[in-house]
C-alpha cells in the first residue's frame, strides 16, 4: 500500500444520505475476480443513461450530463463529500476499489457504515467524519465556488479550506499509523504469530469441541 | 466481577492481544467463504506466498452467481462462471471444504452454516458478506468483512477489530398472530433507522424474541446490518441447543456435554449495563411493508404511503421525494391499493423451511393473481428444498402458479438471470430495497414470506391477518 501523504484536491459534492454499496458499484461488476478496473463503473446507474454490464465498452454509453462526476472539474475529484451513513449495505470491498480506482483518496461525511469504514483503510482511502453542521457548511461552500478544494493532513488530523479554516477530525492511532506508513495489516499481524499460537493452545484446551 | 453483556463475553474469550488504542487482535473460529468476495483474497495470499492458518475453519460455497434453473447446463454467463470456477479451483488447491454447485448441501452461505451445525454458540463467525450477522442468532459474534479482511483471516486466523458499544433491543410481550420475525426486525429498523445501530453490537431480547424459532431468530439477526450494526446477537437457550443437536458439524458425546455447559453461560448478566437500551411493545408491531429505497422507509400494511409535504426536515423530505419518484408511488396511497408485478420468496433472510411453510399456508388452494407476471420461490439450500418437498410444499406452490427453483441468492441481488425489469414492482422477502438491487430500475418492497405470498395471490399488498 502507498503511504498516505498530505495533499490538496478538488471536492466533488454528492448531496445524498445513505449512499449504499449497490449504488457505488452495481452488482453486475462484482463478478470480476480482480481488484482493479472498477473506476469506470463507479456510481454506474447514476452516471450513465444506458444500462451497463461487464464486457460493454463504457465509452460507447451515453453519460448523464447532470451527474456530478460527469461535470468538470469534479471528474478530477479526489475528495468526495457526502451525507450521513455513507457506504451502507454490503461488505463488498469493490465499493472502495471503485472509489480509489476513480481517483478518490478521501471521503468526507457525517457518518459511515462500519464495514465500508473498515474496508477503506485497507486500501489507502481515508474516510473522514466531520460534524453534520460542518459538512453542511462545506456543501454550501462547494456550491458557491466551482473549483473548490480542500487540503488534507492526516498526520495533524486536519482538513483545511482555501481561507485557512481548519477542521479537526478523529482517527484511531493504529489506523493512522498504518495509513501514514503504508503498512500491510497481514504482515503486522504475522509478527505476532507466536502469540496467536499460544492463544490457540489455551483456547482449544478450554473449548475442545471446537478443535 | 463486573457484569458482562453477551457481546462482552464472546469478545473477551477471543482477544489474542490488544494495542494501546484498544485495537484488538480477535481470534476467528469459523470462516465462511463464497465466490464473490474471495478471489482477490486468494490471489493476495498467492502473491505474498502466504499459507492458510487453519483450513478446517473454512466452509466454502458458491451462492450469489449460481443459476436457479437447469443446473446441469452449468452457468451460461461466462464472467459468473469464471468466478464460480475460481472458487472451485482455490478450494481444491488449498484442500478447503466446499459444497459445490451440484452438491445437495449447496445453498446460501448463511443458510448452510447453521444447517450444518458449523455455526455454534460462542463462536466468532466471519464471512465476506454483510449478512453474516445472521449467525448471531446462535449467541455467536458474527459479522461481515471485506475482501482484505477475508485474506487477513485466511493468513492469520485473526482480525484487527475495535470493540463496539453495546445496545439491547427488547421486544416486550408477545406479538400478535400473523406478525413474524421479519415484521419485528422491519419495525425495529423503522424505529431506530438504518444508521441507528452504527458502532454498536445489538442484542435482541424479550419475550417476542425468546418465542421465536431459530429460523425466526436468524431472520432478525440477518437484518441487523440494515439497522447499521455489524453484529446482532441473541442469548443461547434450549431452543438454540435443540436446533444444533445432531447436525453434522456439531460436537458429540462428551464434547457435546462440555459444549452445552459452556453455552449455558452465553447470555448477558442480569446487571449488565448497555450503552443504549430500546424497548418496543410486541403488541404494537403489525405486518410491515417498505415503501421506499431504504429499509427504514417502512410502514404497517394498514397505513398509506407517507407524504413528504408533512416532513419538516428539508433534507429528509427531499430524500422521501426521491424515493417516491423512484418507486413510482403517490403520497397517501393506501398500501392495499399498490399492485405488484413480481413476487420473490427467498434470500438468506427468509428462505428456510419455516418461511416456505408460512408462504405455502397462504398460497394453498389459491392462484397467483393475473397481474403478477412471475412469482418465484427459491429455497435457501438443497436440504431446505428436499425438506420442503417432503412436506409437499413444492406442489402447493406449483399448483398456485409459483415457480419452484434451485437454491441460491437469486433475485435478492440479481447477479444471476433472476431479476426485475425497469419499473417492475416486487414484493420480496429479501433484506434490501436499494435502488436497482433486484435489477436496474426495479422497485422492491420488503415483506415477510406470508405477506409476499398474499401479495402474489391477491395481486396487491394485503394484511395477512385478515385472510
Ligand atoms: S441472499 Fe441476498 S443478502 Fe443473502 S447472501 Fe445472498 S445476496 Fe446477500
Amino acid at each position: 500500500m502507498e503511504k498516505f501523504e498530505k495533499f490538496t484536491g478538488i471536492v466533488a459534492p454528492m448531496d445524498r444520505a445513505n449512499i449504499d454499496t449497490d449504488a457505488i458499484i452495481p452488482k453486475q461488476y462484482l463478478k470480476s475476480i480482480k481488484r482493479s478496473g472498477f473506476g469506470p463503473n463507479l456510481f454506474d446507474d447514476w452516471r450513465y443513461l444506458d444500462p451497463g454490464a461487464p464486457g460493454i465498452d463504457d465509452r460507447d454509453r451515453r453519460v448523464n450530463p447532470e451527474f456530478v462526476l460527469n461535470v468538470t472539474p469534479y471528474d478530477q475529484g479526489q475528495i468526495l463529500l457526502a451525507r450521513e451513513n455513507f457506504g451502507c449495505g454490503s461488505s463488498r470491498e469493490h465499493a472502495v476499489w471503485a472509489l480509489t480506482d476513480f481517483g478518490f483518496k478521501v471521503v468526507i461525511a457525517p457518518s459511515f457504515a462500519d464495514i465500508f469504514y473498515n474496508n477503506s483503510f485497507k486500501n489507502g482511502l481515508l474516510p473522514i467524519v466531520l460534524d453534520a453542521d460542518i459538512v453542511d457548511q462545506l456543501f454550501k461552500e462547494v456550491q458557491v465556488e466551482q473549483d473548490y478544494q480542500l487540503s488534507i493532513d492526516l498526520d495533524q488530523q486536519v482538513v483545511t479550506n482555501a481561507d485557512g479554516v481548519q477542521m479537526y477530525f478523529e482517527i484511531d492511532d493504529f489506523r493512522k499509523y498504518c495509513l501514514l506508513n503504508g503498512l500491510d495489516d497481514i504482515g503486522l499481524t504475522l509478527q505476532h504469530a507466536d502469540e496467536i499460537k499460544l492463544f490457540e493452545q489455551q483456547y482449544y484446551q478450554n473449548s475442545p469441541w471446537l478443535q | 466481577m463486573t457484569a458482562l453483556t453477551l457481546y462482552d463475553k464472546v469478545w473477551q474469550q477471543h482477544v489474542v492481544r490488544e494495542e494501546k488504542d484498544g485495537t484488538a487482535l480477535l481470534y476467528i473460529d469459523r470462516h465462511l467463504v463464497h465466490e464473490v468476495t474471495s478471489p482477490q483474497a486468494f490471489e493476495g495470499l498467492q502473491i505474498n506466498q502466504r499459507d492458510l492458518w487453519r483450513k478446517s475453519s473454512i466452509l466454502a460455497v458458491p451462492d450469489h452467481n449460481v443459476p436457479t434453473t437447469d443446473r446441469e447446463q452449468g452457468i451460461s454467463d461466462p464472467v459468473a462462471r469464471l468466478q464460480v470456477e475460481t472458487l472451485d479451483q482455490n478450494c481444491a488447491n488449498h484442500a478447503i471444504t466446499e459444497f459445490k454447485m451440484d452438491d445437495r448441501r449447496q445453498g446460501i452461505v448463511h443458510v448452510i452454516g447453521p444447517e450444518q451445525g458449523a455455526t455454534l454458540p460462542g463462536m466468532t463467525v466471519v464471512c465476506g458478506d454483510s449478512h453474516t450477522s445472521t449467525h448471531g442468532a446462535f449467541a455467536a459474534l458474527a459479522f461481515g468483512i471485506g475482501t482484505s479482511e477475508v485474506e487477513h483471516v485466511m493468513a492469520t486466523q485473526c482480525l484487527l477489530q475495535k470493540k463496539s458499544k453495546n445496545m439491547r433491543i427488547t421486544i416486550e410481550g408477545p406479538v400478535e398472530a400473523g406478525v413474524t420475525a421479519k415484521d419485528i426486525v422491519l419495525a425495529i429498523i423503522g424505529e431506530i433507522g438504518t444508521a441507528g445501530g452504527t458502532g454498536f453490537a445489538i442484542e435482541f431480547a424479550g419475550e417476542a424474541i425468546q418465542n421465536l424459532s431459530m429460523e425466526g431468530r436468524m431472520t432478525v439477526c440477518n437484518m441487523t446490518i440494515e439497522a447499521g450494526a455489524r453484529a446482532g446477537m441473541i442469548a443461547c437457550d434450549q431452543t438454540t441447543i435443540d436446533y444444533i443437536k445432531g447436525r453434522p458439524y456439531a460436537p458429540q458425546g462428551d464434547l457435546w456435554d462440555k459444549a452445552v455447559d459452556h453455552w449455558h453461560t452465553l447470555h448477558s448478566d442480569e446487571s449488565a449495563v448497555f450503552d443504549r437500551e430500546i424497548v418496543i411493545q410486541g403488541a404494537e408491531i403489525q405486518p410491515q411493508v417498505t415503501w421506499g429505497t431504504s429499509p427504514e422507509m417502512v410502514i404497517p400494511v394498514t397505513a398509506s404511503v407517507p407524504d413528504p409535504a408533512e416532513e419538516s426536515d428539508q433534507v429528509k423530505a427531499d430524500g422521501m421525494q426521491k424515493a417516491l419518484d423512484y418507486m413510482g408511488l403517490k403520497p397517501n396511497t393506501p398500501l392495499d391499493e399498490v399492485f405488484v408485478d413480481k413476487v420473490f420468496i427467498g434470500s438468506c433472510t427468509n428462505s428456510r423451511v419455516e418461511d416456505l411453510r408460512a408462504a405455502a399456508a397462504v398460497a394453498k388452494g389459491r392462484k397467483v393473481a393475473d397481474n403478477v407476471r412471475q412469482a418465484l420461490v427459491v429455497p435457501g439450500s438443497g436440504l431446505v428444498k428436499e425438506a420442503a418437498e417432503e412436506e409437499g410444499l413444492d406442489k402447493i406452490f406449483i399448483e398456485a402458479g409459483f415457480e419452484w427453483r434451485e437454491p441460491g441468492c437469486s433475485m435478492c441481488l440479481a447477479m444471476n438471470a433472476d431479476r426485475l425489469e425497469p419499473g417492475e414492482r416486487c414484493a420480496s422477502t429479501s433484506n434490501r430495497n436499494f435502488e436497482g438491487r433486484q435489477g436496474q430500475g426495479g422497485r422492491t418492497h420488503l415483506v415477510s414470506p406470508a405477506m409476499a405470498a398474499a401479495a402474489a395471490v391477491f395481486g396487491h399488498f394485503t394484511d395477512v391477518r385478515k385472510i
Side-chain angles (χ1 to χ4, degrees):
Chain A
M1 214 164 65
E2 273 174 49
K3 291 184 180 173
F4 194 97
E5 313 266 6
K6 257 201 293 208
F7 77 100
T8 301
I10 291 168
V11 179
M14 282 192 75
D15 199 350
R16 272 185 187 240
N18 296 317
I19 292 179
D20 60 77
T21 52
D22 283 82
I24 299 173
I25 183 83
K27 66 239 151 199
Q28 63 267 33
Y29 300 105
L30 306 188
K31 292 174 189 170
S32 166
I33 56 170
K34 302 210 177 72
R35 266 176 209 263
S36 54
F38 295 100
N41 302 108
L42 174 68
F43 298 116
D44 197 85
D45 282 0
W46 296 337
R47 205 156 137 203
Y48 300 93
L49 296 169
D50 316 319
I56 292 180
D57 192 337
D58 297 307
R59 285 166 301 189
D60 296 341
R61 297 167 66 196
R62 288 177 305 147
V63 297
N64 173 3
E66 270 153 40
F67 183 63
V68 58
L69 297 188
N70 291 328
V71 177
T72 2
Y74 306 126
D75 54 353
Q76 300 297 319
Q78 290 183 295
I79 300 166
L80 187 67
L81 182 65
R83 300 279 182 183
E84 289 82 19
N85 202 24
F86 186 87
C88 62
S90 78
S91 68
R92 65 184 73 152
E93 206 157 310
H94 313 65
V96 176
W97 299 334
L99 286 162
T100 54
D101 203 42
F102 182 88
F104 285 112
K105 292 182 173 176
V106 168
V107 183
I108 299 176
S111 61
F112 290 88
D114 283 340
I115 305 180
F116 176 87
Y117 188 79
N118 246 319
N119 286 344
S120 299
F121 288 99
K122 318 282 178 194
N123 296 279
L125 179 72
L126 174 63
I128 295 180
V129 178
L130 292 177
D131 270 357
D133 295 348
I134 297 179
V135 170
D136 216 37
Q137 179 59 32
L138 292 178
F139 270 110
K140 288 193 186 122
E141 290 176 13
V142 181
Q143 253 174 9
V144 196
E145 201 181 319
Q146 256 280 315
D147 205 4
Y148 188 76
Q149 305 204 2
L150 287 171
S151 302
I152 310 291
D153 185 339
L154 172 58
D155 189 42
Q156 296 300 311
Q157 300 179 218
V158 285
V159 177
T160 313
N161 72 8
D163 300 332
V165 178
Q166 297 202 327
M167 292 151 270
Y168 181 81
F169 62 90
E170 292 287 343
I171 181 171
D172 291 341
D173 291 346
F174 183 70
R175 283 179 162 141
K176 175 173 158 182
Y177 170 78
C178 291
L179 218 49
L180 283 174
N181 295 292
L183 292 175
D184 156 30
D185 276 3
I186 299 180
L188 278 178
T189 298
L190 284 174
Q191 290 175 3
H192 305 296
D194 290 341
E195 247 173 295
I196 301 172
K197 284 185 190 140
L198 216 62
F199 173 90
E200 280 183 321
Q201 266 177 20
Q202 188 65 48
Y203 184 70
Y204 289 113
Q205 210 160 34
N206 295 341
S207 318
W209 63 89
L210 292 177
Q211 198 146 29
Chain B
M1 245 177 44
T2 41
L4 300 175
T5 67
L6 169 59
Y7 170 67
D8 294 338
K9 289 183 187 177
V10 181
W11 173 273
Q12 278 185 7
Q13 283 155 8
H14 290 86
V15 174
V16 175
R17 58 173 277 122
E18 220 173 273
E19 301 289 334
K20 275 193 234 62
D21 72 348
T23 305
L25 197 58
L26 202 67
Y27 191 75
I28 302 302
D29 295 308
R30 177 66 67 206
H31 188 186
L32 302 163
V33 166
H34 65 90
E35 79 275 27
V36 179
T37 53
S38 67
Q40 297 88 352
F42 280 112
E43 186 193 52
L45 289 178
Q46 200 186 4
I47 291 172
N48 295 295
Q49 301 193 321
R50 286 175 177 142
D51 209 2
L52 278 84
W53 187 282
R54 190 176 161 85
K55 288 177 191 181
S56 62
S57 69
I58 302 180
L59 181 58
V61 70
D63 56 359
H64 284 65
N65 269 317
V66 302
T68 57
T69 52
D70 298 329
R71 276 282 163 86
E72 315 75 52
Q73 317 264 314
I75 306 175
S76 55
D77 173 355
V79 197
R81 187 169 63 230
L82 177 64
Q83 202 171 52
V84 172
E85 285 170 356
T86 305
L87 178 69
D88 292 349
Q89 194 58 51
N90 283 325
C91 290
N93 288 349
H94 293 282
I96 291 169
T97 309
E98 182 198 5
F99 296 169
K100 289 196 190 173
M101 207 171 85
D102 56 3
D103 191 312
R104 56 191 279 266
R105 299 167 299 177
Q106 181 270 342
I108 305 170
V109 66
H110 308 308
V111 174
I112 67 159
E115 187 172 73
Q116 291 295 321
T119 303
L120 296 173
M123 271 185 166
T124 44
V125 180
V126 297
C127 172
D129 187 281
S130 58
H131 290 100
T132 310
S133 58
T134 311
H135 309 262
F138 291 82
L141 172 56
F143 50 88
I145 56 179
T147 297
S148 297
E149 291 179 310
V150 168
E151 186 180 336
H152 194 281
V153 177
M154 284 176 171
T156 70
Q157 210 56 37
C158 293
L159 266 183
L160 288 161
Q161 289 289 302
K162 265 290 202 61
K163 192 158 183 266
S164 304
K165 286 177 285 182
N166 279 290
M167 183 191 296
R168 178 161 59 190
I169 299 180
T170 307
I171 313 293
E172 270 181 2
V175 290
E176 235 184 283
V179 175
T180 66
K182 183 65 162 285
D183 303 306
I184 293 176
V185 71
L186 283 172
I188 289 171
I189 296 165
E191 174 100 13
I192 72 171
T194 44
T198 306
F200 288 94
I202 300 180
E203 179 174 344
F204 299 98
E207 188 179 339
I209 299 292
Q210 280 159 10
N211 288 347
L212 292 174
S213 64
M214 287 318 292
E215 285 85 349
R217 294 179 190 186
M218 284 189 253
T219 302
V220 172
C221 288
N222 174 275
M223 288 193 73
T224 315
I225 187 71
E226 269 67 56
R230 280 177 94 174
M233 301 175 89
I234 295 174
C236 181
D237 62 10
Q238 201 54 43
T239 308
T240 323
I241 292 169
D242 291 344
Y243 177 97
I244 297 166
K245 197 166 170 88
R247 293 187 182 263
Y249 281 67
Q252 291 170 357
D254 274 0
L255 287 178
W256 169 261
D257 297 335
K258 277 209 183 96
V260 171
D261 282 347
H262 173 62
W263 296 346
H264 279 306
T265 66
L266 296 173
H267 52 78
S268 291
D269 295 332
E270 199 111 344
S271 49
V273 180
F274 288 80
D275 301 291
R276 194 171 168 205
E277 291 253 24
I278 288 166
V279 177
I280 295 173
Q281 297 305 320
E284 282 168 18
I285 301 176
Q286 301 189 43
Q288 305 279 310
V289 182
T290 63
W291 57 269
T293 52
S294 162
E296 70 188 9
M297 295 172 163
V298 65
I299 47 176
V301 61
T302 48
S304 298
V305 175
D307 191 344
E310 283 165 27
E311 173 61 58
S312 52
D313 179 336
Q314 199 49 46
V315 176
K316 270 202 188 136
D318 291 348
M320 287 169 73
Q321 192 55 53
K322 268 191 192 130
L324 290 177
D325 292 344
Y326 181 86
M327 293 297 289
L329 289 173
K330 292 215 167 56
N332 304 314
T333 313
L335 275 181
D336 57 11
E337 290 174 18
V338 176
F339 286 79
V340 302
D341 306 302
K342 283 188 177 165
V343 171
F344 171 63
I345 297 172
S347 89
C348 57
T349 315
N350 282 127
S351 65
R352 299 173 187 88
V353 74
E354 182 185 277
D355 301 312
L356 304 185
R357 270 184 214 133
V362 174
K364 190 166 186 171
R366 296 193 168 99
K367 289 273 181 235
V368 170
D370 289 340
N371 60 298
V372 177
R373 286 175 214 145
Q374 187 179 40
L376 285 185
V377 186
V378 185
S381 73
L383 297 178
V384 167
K385 183 167 184 255
E386 282 177 21
E389 286 174 356
E390 245 164 63
E391 293 179 25
L393 302 183
D394 56 326
K395 295 215 180 57
I396 296 175
F397 285 123
I398 292 165
E399 264 160 39
F402 289 80
E403 292 174 40
W404 181 247
R405 295 291 189 89
E406 299 294 332
C409 293
S410 180
M411 209 198 276
C412 173
L413 95 164
M415 265 184 87
N416 66 3
D418 312 336
R419 67 186 63 191
L420 300 180
E421 297 303 320
E424 277 186 334
R425 187 180 302 288
C426 180
S428 176
T429 65
S430 55
N431 43 44
R432 290 196 173 132
N433 50 351
F434 297 158
E435 284 187 21
R437 171 78 177 180
Q438 295 192 290
Q440 204 188 27
R443 294 161 172 166
T444 302
H445 295 267
L446 304 175
V447 288
S448 74
M451 286 284 291
V457 296
F458 293 100
H460 54 80
F461 293 106
T462 304
D463 188 342
V464 283
R465 292 169 303 180
K466 297 213 181 102
I467 60 174

